Amino acid sequence: NKAKAKEAFRKALAIDPEYSAANVRLAFMLYDEENYAESIPMLEKAFELAPDNDIISRRLATAYQKSGRISDAIARYEGLIRNDPNNVNAYLNLVSLYRTNNQDGKAIETINALKKVAPNNEYVYLNLAAIYLGQNKLNDAETNANLTISKNSSLYQPYVILASVFQSRGTDAYNSYLDLDRQASQAVGKKATTLKNQRDAAKSNAQSLLGRARDNLNTARGKASESEAISDINSRLNRVNDLIGKLN
């Protein structure tokens, strides 16, 4: 009974406005009902209470976008930062909005500004890792994911990013293996021997890289708590295990 559930959550928040579980659940109910305008202040509060929650951050940015308010939201957080240059949550929310709006350059600029304010904040490096992964800058993504872990090893997201990096490299090695296997089957003599050695090396490399992707996903799954995140990790694991199976 969704109506009664929402009423109960609102009563709970009337008693304790800082009750994060009630706030998050109500925010998600409103969001799932596509009541974006009403969900925004709830999601904003949820983000303040849990800035580490990637799902809240994404839903807030999407709610702004669906409400046609993304420009207003960007202006709001830019204003908050001007008034309080040490407002870490404002920086992080602004980064999320820029990323949702495909403004990676602005997002990186904002992250670099935050880095000066909070150089040890793990979300500085997590956001950089995610942006660089999206740009297929795998070395930069790997570096920043590892920096995130060095700041806070309890997060699951950097392990998912590392898994994506190793899966991408492993897929390239797998495709190289297939190509070399095809060439070796058509070659003769010394050329065939050389190609077979290269094929075996590519296969071994693919197995190693995909194995590292699997290990990072298993680590991420052990650290994740949201069902949505765990479901995503399991889907990724299935794809990686499928590729590993083809190499055995």
Side-chain angles (χ1 to χ4, degrees), residues 59-77:
R59 289 193 174 190
L60 177 56
T62 301
Y64 281 130
Q65 190 178 47
K66 295 286 187 180
S67 300
R69 288 182 51 193
I70 201 158
S71 296
D72 292 340
I74 286 172
R76 174 175 182 261
Y77 287 108

Side-chain angles (χ1 to χ4, degrees), residues 109-129:
E109 181 182 319
T110 304
I111 293 168
N112 287 331
L114 174 57
K115 192 185 294 187
K116 295 175 183 177
V117 174
N120 291 316
N121 186 292
E122 58 268 39
Y123 303 109
V124 166
Y125 307 98
L126 180 60
N127 275 285
L128 282 173

Side-chain angles (χ1 to χ4, degrees), residues 94-150:
L94 184 56
V95 168
S96 179
L97 288 164
Y98 281 140
R99 288 178 58 193
T100 300
N101 212 33
N102 297 316
Q103 293 177 271
D104 284 351
K106 282 279 194 179
I108 291 172
E109 181 182 319
T110 304
I111 293 168
N112 287 331
L114 174 57
K115 192 185 294 187
K116 295 175 183 177
V117 174
N120 291 316
N121 186 292
E122 58 268 39
Y123 303 109
V124 166
Y125 307 98
L126 180 60
N127 275 285
L128 282 173
I131 291 169
Y132 287 134
L133 180 65
Q135 295 175 341
N136 204 35
K137 296 179 179 178
L138 300 184
N139 290 338
D140 290 331
E142 181 182 3
T143 296
N144 282 282
N146 283 320
L147 281 169
T148 305
I149 292 167
S150 74

Side-chain angles (χ1 to χ4, degrees), residues 5-210:
K6 286 187 289 187
E7 181 185 355
F9 288 138
R10 288 192 171 100
K11 286 181 179 179
L13 290 167
I15 296 168
D16 180 5
E18 302 302 312
Y19 185 16
S20 62
N23 186 84
V24 170
R25 288 172 183 265
L26 179 55
F28 280 9
M29 285 190 73
L30 294 169
Y31 178 92
D32 290 339
E33 292 173 354
E34 299 184 3
N35 190 346
Y36 300 115
E38 191 178 354
S39 75
I40 285 172
M42 308 293 299
L43 289 166
E44 287 176 335
K45 182 66 175 178
F47 182 81
E48 290 172 9
L49 295 170
D52 59 327
N53 192 310
D54 190 48
I55 294 171
I56 292 172
S57 177
R58 290 201 308 269
R59 289 193 174 190
L60 177 56
T62 301
Y64 281 130
Q65 190 178 47
K66 295 286 187 180
S67 300
R69 288 182 51 193
I70 201 158
S71 296
D72 292 340
I74 286 172
R76 174 175 182 261
Y77 287 108
E78 287 176 338
L80 285 173
I81 291 167
R82 281 194 299 272
N83 293 329
D84 180 8
N86 295 314
N87 189 332
V88 172
N89 283 352
Y91 283 100
L92 292 173
N93 229 333
L94 184 56
V95 168
S96 179
L97 288 164
Y98 281 140
R99 288 178 58 193
T100 300
N101 212 33
N102 297 316
Q103 293 177 271
D104 284 351
K106 282 279 194 179
I108 291 172
E109 181 182 319
T110 304
I111 293 168
N112 287 331
L114 174 57
K115 192 185 294 187
K116 295 175 183 177
V117 174
N120 291 316
N121 186 292
E122 58 268 39
Y123 303 109
V124 166
Y125 307 98
L126 180 60
N127 275 285
L128 282 173
I131 291 169
Y132 287 134
L133 180 65
Q135 295 175 341
N136 204 35
K137 296 179 179 178
L138 300 184
N139 290 338
D140 290 331
E142 181 182 3
T143 296
N144 282 282
N146 283 320
L147 281 169
T148 305
I149 292 167
S150 74
K151 307 297 180 185
N152 186 350
S153 61
S154 69
L155 300 176
Y156 76 88
Q157 295 97 327
Y159 295 97
V160 173
I161 290 172
L162 286 174
S164 297
V165 168
F166 290 121
Q167 182 178 352
S168 181
R169 292 172 178 161
T171 301
D172 287 344
Y174 173 78
N175 289 332
S176 178
Y177 156 72
L178 291 178
D179 184 53
L180 289 164
D181 185 54
R182 178 185 57 77
Q183 292 182 55
S185 68
Q186 298 171 355
V188 295
K190 289 184 178 179
K191 185 177 181 181
T193 302
T194 299
L195 287 168
K196 286 177 182 177
N197 289 336
Q198 292 174 344
R199 175 201 64 191
D200 293 344
K203 179 180 180 180
S204 177
N205 189 33
Q207 288 172 323
S208 175
L209 290 165
L210 292 169

